[in-house]
Amino acid sequence: MKKAWILGVLLGLAVPGWVMAASGDDAIEYRQGLFRALKWNFSDMGAMIQERKPFDAARFAQEADRLAALAPMLGEGFIKGSEKSETVPTRAASELWYQRDRFDQLMQQLEEKTAALAEAAKHEDRDGLRPYFGQVAQACKACHDRYRERD
Ligand code: HEC
């Protein structure tokens, strides 16, 4: 026990400043980075679904897996202290912070729909995937309509 405690202290001293607790600005950058990663993958999938690009089942499945992995990480980026910032612009709507249960439900829906899409991508073809993709798009939009401010 004592050894573990001492080791903890030593490691603590060795940890650089940026490893310390996240600030509000860090949280805003974190969630925006995740949203951009979502969009990167989602746009490519959309191009395949809409037949603007040839359908590549393996790539689509990989991107669907990424969405399903990213979705459960997003909620963590909406911490206290990240409502507004002097330095990092955010489009999170002010309602989000006092309607947190509703917001979390919409996030939960995104998790469920991206998981369903990733599962379907293992066996469905493009036409079979279209409704699953549409449900994910709907989950993005449902939340943006309520909780993301316009540009
Ligand atoms: C539960 C709510 C919610 C869901 C679901 C959601 N978003 Fe968002 N999204 C937001 C909010 C809030 C912001 C604004 C974040 C900020 O600026 O701090 C945002 C911002 C973004 C941004 C802009 C990021 C930037 O550069 O600042 C993109 C792109 C984006 N979302 C894409 C998506 C995509 C694609 C999906 C679905 C696959 C999705 N979002 C699902 C709430 C959501």
Side-chain angles (χ1 to χ4, degrees):
M1 266 321 261
K2 197 168 177 201
K3 260 195 190 151
W5 184 81
I6 291 169
L7 186 67
V9 171
L10 289 174
L11 285 172
L13 289 175
V15 171
W18 50 263
V19 181
M20 296 307 176
S23 70
D25 285 1
D26 292 336
I28 297 172
E29 284 174 348
Y30 170 78
R31 70 196 183 216
Q32 290 177 346
L34 289 178
F35 282 125
R36 283 174 211 168
L38 270 186
K39 184 182 166 195
W40 173 268
N41 290 281
F42 194 66
S43 304
D44 192 52
M45 297 164 83
M48 286 192 250
I49 289 286
Q50 292 168 355
E51 301 182 42
R52 286 182 280 116
K53 269 187 185 176
F55 182 68
D56 176 337
R59 195 171 81 232
F60 192 97
Q62 185 188 44
E63 290 169 341
D65 280 341
R66 291 180 186 157
L67 295 190
L70 290 165
M73 300 164 72
L74 285 162
E76 286 171 39
F78 291 87
I79 58 166
K80 240 185 153 74
S82 68
E83 296 87 346
K84 277 273 164 279
S85 158
E86 301 282 302
T87 40
V88 189
T90 168
R91 286 160 67 201
S94 53
E95 292 84 4
L96 189 163
W97 308 102
Y98 53 86
Q99 298 176 0
R100 191 57 198 250
D101 287 354
R102 181 73 190 118
F103 178 77
D104 289 344
Q105 271 172 17
L106 291 169
M107 207 53 106
Q108 180 67 35
Q109 270 174 30
L110 181 71
E111 283 183 42
E112 286 165 16
K113 302 302 181 190
T114 52
L117 178 63
E119 188 53 38
K122 291 180 185 152
H123 47 83
E124 297 285 349
D125 61 8
R126 181 174 55 206
D127 287 341
L129 286 167
R130 204 168 267 135
Y132 292 94
F133 182 84
Q135 293 204 351
V136 172
Q138 192 47 47
C140 309
K141 187 176 181 306
C143 189
H144 290 165
D145 285 351
R146 283 178 90 118
Y147 297 119
R148 186 176 72 170
E149 283 167 4
R150 293 182 205 299
D151 286 310

